[in-house]
Amino acid sequence: MKNKRKDVYNLAEEIQKFDVVVVGAGPAGMTAALYASRANLSVALIERGVPGGELVNTADVENYPGFKHIQGPDLANEMYEGTMQFGVVHEFGTVTKVTPNEGAHLLETDMGKTYQAKAVVIATGSVHRKLGVPGEDKYAGRGVSYCAVCDGAFFRDKDLRVIGGGDSAVEEGTYLTQFGKSVNIVHRRDELRAQKILQDRAMANDKIDFTWDTVVKEIKGDDMKVTGLAVENVKTGEITDVEADGIFIYVGLIPNTEAFAELNITDEEGWVITNDDMQTTIPGIFAIGDVRQKKLRQISTAVGDGAIAGQEAFNYIETLNG
């Protein structure tokens, strides 16, 4: 009996209590933490990696107000320093479970820590979708990449293939031309989905060409690395083998909502559903940024979400306090 009481006592001691816990330190999460802490709330910012989210993997940012041009990691660092100025507590870990309890939500992490918060802000972002073809997992890190900024320098004077046709594929394809000998963008349609300015830059670049109406069927390689692709023309059905030294994949995003699946706050694809105040259907639980069901996922929209959530968390806590 004594041991049981000791265990209960220790568990209570291990629970860290905050007014607000923000899960994820991308632009959205950092902004929410900034606004909530500036409102004199106690705030924990839980992040499993380097603060900045996808900013850390972004080469050039030129569509964020206030900066004509800035490197992604530099902007992430600027945001982080601003976030921490009002006493935000930065915690390392991955949230694995959230147990709702009005005014006292519990969050468990893979670091063995438990947090209690009056308000929770989910800002876990998303990850790159995989093609799901043979060879993709086998050659991950051996010629297959999802991050041009991270891995581009390893492919100097190489022939590269970029899979996708949206903003990320075209922008990162252009970025890769500073390293690769050639960059071929493989797209399943006959026109790109990327912003016009990004398309124009890519099409004006002598190192970039395009393969239209084509999907990847298999990623091929030897015992050490990628050597090429098997691709299929979606109109003719013809399958062709093409050579490649590196393959960069940008075919969409998957929300990081595994830890919140039991809360029933997501749509069928896993994106968290909120109202315009970033509120989910659970009182005191908010969602912001790339993890939220929305049309446009940009740094500026993430920051806007974060500002709203930080203020709404304050308003919600005020209602709890009467």
Side-chain angles (χ1 to χ4, degrees), residues 2 139 189 227 277:
K2 288 183 179 179
Y139 292 107
R189 298 188 177 93
T227 58
D277 291 330

Side-chain angles (χ1 to χ4, degrees), residues 156-173:
R156 293 185 184 276
D157 300 319
K158 301 294 185 181
D159 293 313
L160 308 177
R161 305 268 173 175
V162 174
I163 316 302
D167 286 357
S168 294
V170 177
E171 190 167 23
E172 300 307 303

Side-chain angles (χ1 to χ4, degrees), residues 138-139 142 220-227:
K138 179 178 180 180
Y139 292 107
R142 294 193 289 162
K220 297 188 174 185
D222 55 27
D223 291 338
M224 298 295 294
K225 63 184 187 308
V226 162
T227 58

Side-chain angles (χ1 to χ4, degrees), residues 38-212:
R38 194 169 181 271
N40 205 32
L41 300 176
S42 60
V43 181
L45 180 63
I46 304 176
E47 172 58 53
R48 62 183 179 181
V50 178
E54 280 301 306
L55 265 182
V56 178
N57 300 324
T58 302
D60 300 308
V61 177
E62 53 187 16
N63 61 351
Y64 186 67
F67 296 91
K68 185 176 180 181
H69 178 273
I70 189 171
Q71 297 287 306
D74 293 336
L75 180 55
N77 188 60
E78 293 280 353
M79 286 185 171
Y80 179 73
E81 290 184 0
T83 296
M84 304 307 289
Q85 64 183 313
F86 297 110
V88 173
V89 177
H90 183 189
E91 295 282 298
F92 178 79
T94 299
V95 171
T96 57
K97 184 178 181 181
V98 176
T99 303
N101 187 7
E102 188 170 355
H105 305 296
L106 290 179
L107 301 92
E108 301 172 30
T109 74
D110 61 348
M111 303 301 289
K113 292 184 177 181
T114 301
Y115 302 85
Q116 181 178 301
K118 296 175 183 177
V120 174
V121 181
I122 300 170
T124 46
S126 55
V127 294
H128 291 290
R129 185 183 300 277
K130 291 186 176 183
L131 291 173
V133 299
E136 183 175 14
D137 290 337
K138 179 178 180 180
Y139 292 107
R142 294 193 289 162
V144 171
S145 174
Y146 305 86
C147 178
V149 176
C150 309
D151 301 327
F154 296 115
F155 294 91
R156 293 185 184 276
D157 300 319
K158 301 294 185 181
D159 293 313
L160 308 177
R161 305 268 173 175
V162 174
I163 316 302
D167 286 357
S168 294
V170 177
E171 190 167 23
E172 300 307 303
T174 302
Y175 173 81
L176 286 168
T177 59
Q178 66 183 301
F179 304 110
K181 181 170 63 177
S182 68
V183 175
N184 179 268
I185 297 178
V186 180
H187 187 39
R188 61 182 176 176
R189 298 188 177 93
D190 57 6
E191 60 181 6
L192 299 170
R193 294 179 291 108
Q195 298 176 59
K196 185 67 163 54
I197 188 172
L198 300 178
Q199 294 188 40
D200 290 345
R201 286 178 186 168
M203 291 179 179
N205 193 310
D206 292 338
K207 284 190 174 183
I208 296 179
D209 64 353
F210 299 86
T211 301
W212 306 107

Side-chain angles (χ1 to χ4, degrees), residues 240-310:
T240 308
D241 287 340
V242 295
E243 294 182 355
D245 299 306
I247 299 163
F248 290 80
I249 300 170
Y250 298 99
V251 291
L253 300 169
I254 299 174
N256 285 317
T257 51
E258 203 172 308
F260 317 111
E262 296 181 2
L263 300 180
N264 295 318
I265 57 175
T266 65
D267 64 15
E268 63 277 2
E269 294 181 349
W271 304 103
V272 181
I273 301 170
T274 74
N275 61 17
D276 290 343
D277 291 330
M278 308 300 135
Q279 299 165 333
T280 69
T281 54
I282 302 175
I285 296 184
F286 305 82
I288 57 177
D290 286 2
V291 77
R292 189 167 77 90
Q293 185 191 70
K294 57 195 289 189
K295 290 183 178 180
L296 184 63
R297 294 183 173 87
Q298 296 285 301
I299 302 167
S300 55
T301 61
V303 167
D305 287 359
I308 293 171

